[in-house]
Amino acid sequence: MPYDPYKALYLHIPFCVKRCGYCDFATRAVERDSSVIDEYVESLVLDLRRASREGKLGALETVYLGGGTPSYIGMKRLSSLLYALAMSMHLEPAVECTMEANPESLTEAMVRDIWALGVNRLSLGVQSFDDEVLSILGRAHDADAARTAVAAAQTRFENVSVDLMCGIPGQSAASFRRSVEEAVALGVKHVSVYPLTIETGTPFDRAVLRGEMPEPDDDVEAEAMEAAREVLEHAGFHRYEVASYAQPGFESRHNTAYWTGKPYLGLGASAVTMTQNNERRMRVQDGQVIDDLNERQMAAEDLMLGMRMAQGISDEQVQQATTLIPATTATFAELANLGLAVHEDGRWKPTDQGWLCGNELYGRLLELAP
Ligand code: SF4
């Protein structure tokens, strides 16, 4: 059976000016003028042109340049990439095209150029507007650079998102709240809020093991997530996914594609491609199959992904899943008893408790088809 067309494209730029202490992404600190970056971009351009020739880019609804730090590689390389992108697909305004940028490497000139080349959404890795917290994280920018970057972004882009982080050792509840309030005051349209997690093998992990850094406290993180919700909802944002808030119409369509089971193509080192048809879903990374799901497992995964989103899962989808996995209906009833899900307006939705205890909620759904 043929595979469904890709709806989303991810281009990975795995370079940063330096590594942040908490980060375990597949990225490297490489000198900005290194030929390694030139060669990488050239090969990404070739991959793009090949994907285009093979007809893989004809149905794309979203593109995402992520990293790493795409803004770090500079405008000359971004131009080649964005030009190749525009030549490889119909990069019309209806296609959401996001680029990630970090404050230290985003300039007003870059903002103008990437906008002219078809990018229409900017996602800024801010993390905090508190200098002390930024230095604990090992970020390459300070709070003023973040403010300047948001202002630069807004000279062209209406659709600007910032990432903020909570649960950082040394970050007070007041500091986190001020950062959320500042994002609102700056007029961004989308805010992602992540609790810090200690990833194995990172400098933060080693500091925790040596007893030099406390582990993030679940209660502190839960309170911070609640504070974020309060500030953002008061300012007219709605929480459409566990970590994502948007002004109406500014939800990330690219991320929504991941959560709603749309096939995506990933180009570049460590980028994941998800291919599917009605019977099978596969994820491939660096030529290795990392997931190979049958129809039942796909249905269970779709239920799990759907419950990350505020809109949850329709009765119809639960019905369809039940025909493949008879225990589905009972599991939702059980989730309701546990206070993790609620049935409203013909849909099953996560409760606040469900989002807080995400591992339990998602785990139970995935267990439907191990
Ligand atoms: S800038 Fe982002 S991708 Fe790069 S090291 Fe820091 S957290 Fe990781």
Side-chain angles (χ1 to χ4, degrees), residues 89-105:
M89 62 175 285
H90 300 293
L91 190 56
E92 50 209 31
V95 173
E96 179 189 273
C97 181
T98 303
M99 190 182 102
E100 285 183 343
N102 275 355
E104 71 280 356
S105 49

PDB file of all heavy atoms in Angstrom, residues 89-105:
ATOM      1  N   MET A  89       9.742  23.603  -3.542  1.00  0.00           N
ATOM      2  CA  MET A  89       8.341  23.380  -3.176  1.00  0.00           C
ATOM      3  C   MET A  89       7.555  24.672  -3.398  1.00  0.00           C
ATOM      4  O   MET A  89       8.135  25.700  -3.712  1.00  0.00           O
ATOM      5  CB  MET A  89       8.239  22.979  -1.703  1.00  0.00           C
ATOM      6  CG  MET A  89       8.744  24.073  -0.772  1.00  0.00           C
ATOM      7  SD  MET A  89       8.513  23.692   0.968  1.00  0.00           S
ATOM      8  CE  MET A  89       6.747  23.944   1.178  1.00  0.00           C
ATOM      9  N   HIS A  90       6.241  24.589  -3.246  1.00  0.00           N
ATOM     10  CA  HIS A  90       5.434  25.809  -3.361  1.00  0.00           C
ATOM     11  C   HIS A  90       5.431  26.486  -2.000  1.00  0.00           C
ATOM     12  O   HIS A  90       4.575  26.229  -1.165  1.00  0.00           O
ATOM     13  CB  HIS A  90       4.009  25.460  -3.785  1.00  0.00           C
ATOM     14  CG  HIS A  90       3.959  24.761  -5.093  1.00  0.00           C
ATOM     15  ND1 HIS A  90       4.308  25.374  -6.267  1.00  0.00           N
ATOM     16  CD2 HIS A  90       3.634  23.486  -5.409  1.00  0.00           C
ATOM     17  CE1 HIS A  90       4.204  24.512  -7.262  1.00  0.00           C
ATOM     18  NE2 HIS A  90       3.801  23.358  -6.763  1.00  0.00           N
ATOM     19  N   LEU A  91       6.430  27.347  -1.789  1.00  0.00           N
ATOM     20  CA  LEU A  91       6.529  28.000  -0.476  1.00  0.00           C
ATOM     21  C   LEU A  91       5.649  29.258  -0.486  1.00  0.00           C
ATOM     22  O   LEU A  91       6.120  30.380  -0.471  1.00  0.00           O
ATOM     23  CB  LEU A  91       7.990  28.350  -0.155  1.00  0.00           C
ATOM     24  CG  LEU A  91       8.263  28.819   1.276  1.00  0.00           C
ATOM     25  CD1 LEU A  91       7.790  27.802   2.304  1.00  0.00           C
ATOM     26  CD2 LEU A  91       9.755  29.088   1.481  1.00  0.00           C
ATOM     27  N   GLU A  92       4.347  29.020  -0.542  1.00  0.00           N
ATOM     28  CA  GLU A  92       3.419  30.147  -0.599  1.00  0.00           C
ATOM     29  C   GLU A  92       3.061  30.572   0.827  1.00  0.00           C
ATOM     30  O   GLU A  92       3.318  29.825   1.782  1.00  0.00           O
ATOM     31  CB  GLU A  92       2.176  29.755  -1.395  1.00  0.00           C
ATOM     32  CG  GLU A  92       1.590  28.469  -0.920  1.00  0.00           C
ATOM     33  CD  GLU A  92       0.857  27.713  -2.031  1.00  0.00           C
ATOM     34  OE1 GLU A  92       1.242  27.832  -3.199  1.00  0.00           O
ATOM     35  OE2 GLU A  92      -0.103  27.025  -1.695  1.00  0.00           O
ATOM     36  N   PRO A  93       2.457  31.748   0.996  1.00  0.00           N
ATOM     37  CA  PRO A  93       2.164  32.219   2.356  1.00  0.00           C
ATOM     38  C   PRO A  93       1.288  31.251   3.165  1.00  0.00           C
ATOM     39  O   PRO A  93       1.354  31.238   4.387  1.00  0.00           O
ATOM     40  CB  PRO A  93       1.435  33.547   2.123  1.00  0.00           C
ATOM     41  CG  PRO A  93       1.876  33.994   0.778  1.00  0.00           C
ATOM     42  CD  PRO A  93       2.144  32.762  -0.015  1.00  0.00           C
ATOM     43  N   ALA A  94       0.492  30.437   2.465  1.00  0.00           N
ATOM     44  CA  ALA A  94      -0.367  29.498   3.200  1.00  0.00           C
ATOM     45  C   ALA A  94       0.443  28.421   3.904  1.00  0.00           C
ATOM     46  O   ALA A  94      -0.054  27.738   4.798  1.00  0.00           O
ATOM     47  CB  ALA A  94      -1.365  28.849   2.247  1.00  0.00           C
ATOM     48  N   VAL A  95       1.683  28.230   3.494  1.00  0.00           N
ATOM     49  CA  VAL A  95       2.546  27.245   4.161  1.00  0.00           C
ATOM     50  C   VAL A  95       3.190  27.918   5.368  1.00  0.00           C
ATOM     51  O   VAL A  95       3.823  28.959   5.232  1.00  0.00           O
ATOM     52  CB  VAL A  95       3.645  26.744   3.190  1.00  0.00           C
ATOM     53  CG1 VAL A  95       4.645  25.846   3.921  1.00  0.00           C
ATOM     54  CG2 VAL A  95       3.027  26.024   2.010  1.00  0.00           C
ATOM     55  N   GLU A  96       2.982  27.352   6.532  1.00  0.00           N
ATOM     56  CA  GLU A  96       3.641  27.910   7.727  1.00  0.00           C
ATOM     57  C   GLU A  96       5.121  27.540   7.656  1.00  0.00           C
ATOM     58  O   GLU A  96       5.470  26.367   7.573  1.00  0.00           O
ATOM     59  CB  GLU A  96       3.010  27.307   8.984  1.00  0.00           C
ATOM     60  CG  GLU A  96       3.658  27.812  10.269  1.00  0.00           C
ATOM     61  CD  GLU A  96       3.167  27.034  11.491  1.00  0.00           C
ATOM     62  OE1 GLU A  96       2.133  27.424  12.058  1.00  0.00           O
ATOM     63  OE2 GLU A  96       3.811  26.036  11.860  1.00  0.00           O
ATOM     64  N   CYS A  97       5.970  28.548   7.680  1.00  0.00           N
ATOM     65  CA  CYS A  97       7.410  28.279   7.607  1.00  0.00           C
ATOM     66  C   CYS A  97       8.088  28.939   8.811  1.00  0.00           C
ATOM     67  O   CYS A  97       8.224  30.154   8.876  1.00  0.00           O
ATOM     68  CB  CYS A  97       7.976  28.808   6.292  1.00  0.00           C
ATOM     69  SG  CYS A  97       9.734  28.481   6.117  1.00  0.00           S
ATOM     70  N   THR A  98       8.476  28.110   9.758  1.00  0.00           N
ATOM     71  CA  THR A  98       9.043  28.602  11.023  1.00  0.00           C
ATOM     72  C   THR A  98      10.555  28.470  10.995  1.00  0.00           C
ATOM     73  O   THR A  98      11.083  27.479  10.493  1.00  0.00           O
ATOM     74  CB  THR A  98       8.524  27.745  12.200  1.00  0.00           C
ATOM     75  OG1 THR A  98       7.098  27.776  12.210  1.00  0.00           O
ATOM     76  CG2 THR A  98       9.053  28.253  13.547  1.00  0.00           C
ATOM     77  N   MET A  99      11.234  29.455  11.563  1.00  0.00           N
ATOM     78  CA  MET A  99      12.665  29.276  11.817  1.00  0.00           C
ATOM     79  C   MET A  99      12.928  29.536  13.296  1.00  0.00           C
ATOM     80  O   MET A  99      12.400  30.487  13.868  1.00  0.00           O
ATOM     81  CB  MET A  99      13.497  30.230  10.968  1.00  0.00           C
ATOM     82  CG  MET A  99      14.991  29.896  11.045  1.00  0.00           C
ATOM     83  SD  MET A  99      16.039  31.025  10.107  1.00  0.00           S
ATOM     84  CE  MET A  99      16.666  32.058  11.427  1.00  0.00           C
ATOM     85  N   GLU A 100      13.749  28.686  13.882  1.00  0.00           N
ATOM     86  CA  GLU A 100      14.194  28.926  15.255  1.00  0.00           C
ATOM     87  C   GLU A 100      15.389  29.874  15.218  1.00  0.00           C
ATOM     88  O   GLU A 100      16.226  29.805  14.318  1.00  0.00           O
ATOM     89  CB  GLU A 100      14.649  27.612  15.911  1.00  0.00           C
ATOM     90  CG  GLU A 100      13.492  26.727  16.300  1.00  0.00           C
ATOM     91  CD  GLU A 100      13.951  25.453  17.015  1.00  0.00           C
ATOM     92  OE1 GLU A 100      15.147  25.103  16.934  1.00  0.00           O
ATOM     93  OE2 GLU A 100      13.110  24.813  17.630  1.00  0.00           O
ATOM     94  N   ALA A 101      15.454  30.735  16.216  1.00  0.00           N
ATOM     95  CA  ALA A 101      16.585  31.660  16.298  1.00  0.00           C
ATOM     96  C   ALA A 101      16.916  31.866  17.764  1.00  0.00           C
ATOM     97  O   ALA A 101      16.039  31.762  18.625  1.00  0.00           O
ATOM     98  CB  ALA A 101      16.217  32.992  15.656  1.00  0.00           C
ATOM     99  N   ASN A 102      18.178  32.170  18.028  1.00  0.00           N
ATOM    100  CA  ASN A 102      18.565  32.535  19.384  1.00  0.00           C
ATOM    101  C   ASN A 102      18.923  34.014  19.419  1.00  0.00           C
ATOM    102  O   ASN A 102      19.438  34.555  18.432  1.00  0.00           O
ATOM    103  CB  ASN A 102      19.736  31.673  19.869  1.00  0.00           C
ATOM    104  CG  ASN A 102      19.245  30.350  20.459  1.00  0.00           C
ATOM    105  OD1 ASN A 102      18.048  30.132  20.575  1.00  0.00           O
ATOM    106  ND2 ASN A 102      20.169  29.491  20.812  1.00  0.00           N
ATOM    107  N   PRO A 103      18.671  34.663  20.540  1.00  0.00           N
ATOM    108  CA  PRO A 103      18.835  36.116  20.601  1.00  0.00           C
ATOM    109  C   PRO A 103      20.227  36.601  20.199  1.00  0.00           C
ATOM    110  O   PRO A 103      20.342  37.639  19.541  1.00  0.00           O
ATOM    111  CB  PRO A 103      18.552  36.436  22.075  1.00  0.00           C
ATOM    112  CG  PRO A 103      17.604  35.373  22.495  1.00  0.00           C
ATOM    113  CD  PRO A 103      18.045  34.139  21.764  1.00  0.00           C
ATOM    114  N   GLU A 104      21.285  35.864  20.542  1.00  0.00           N
ATOM    115  CA  GLU A 104      22.626  36.384  20.273  1.00  0.00           C
ATOM    116  C   GLU A 104      22.958  36.395  18.789  1.00  0.00           C
ATOM    117  O   GLU A 104      23.890  37.071  18.370  1.00  0.00           O
ATOM    118  CB  GLU A 104      23.681  35.607  21.063  1.00  0.00           C
ATOM    119  CG  GLU A 104      23.954  34.187  20.604  1.00  0.00           C
ATOM    120  CD  GLU A 104      22.931  33.168  21.081  1.00  0.00           C
ATOM    121  OE1 GLU A 104      22.018  33.540  21.839  1.00  0.00           O
ATOM    122  OE2 GLU A 104      23.039  31.990  20.679  1.00  0.00           O
ATOM    123  N   SER A 105      22.233  35.632  17.985  1.00  0.00           N
ATOM    124  CA  SER A 105      22.611  35.594  16.564  1.00  0.00           C
ATOM    125  C   SER A 105      21.523  36.100  15.624  1.00  0.00           C
ATOM    126  O   SER A 105      21.694  36.062  14.410  1.00  0.00           O
ATOM    127  CB  SER A 105      23.048  34.174  16.165  1.00  0.00           C
ATOM    128  OG  SER A 105      22.108  33.220  16.588  1.00  0.00           O
TER     129      SER A 105
END
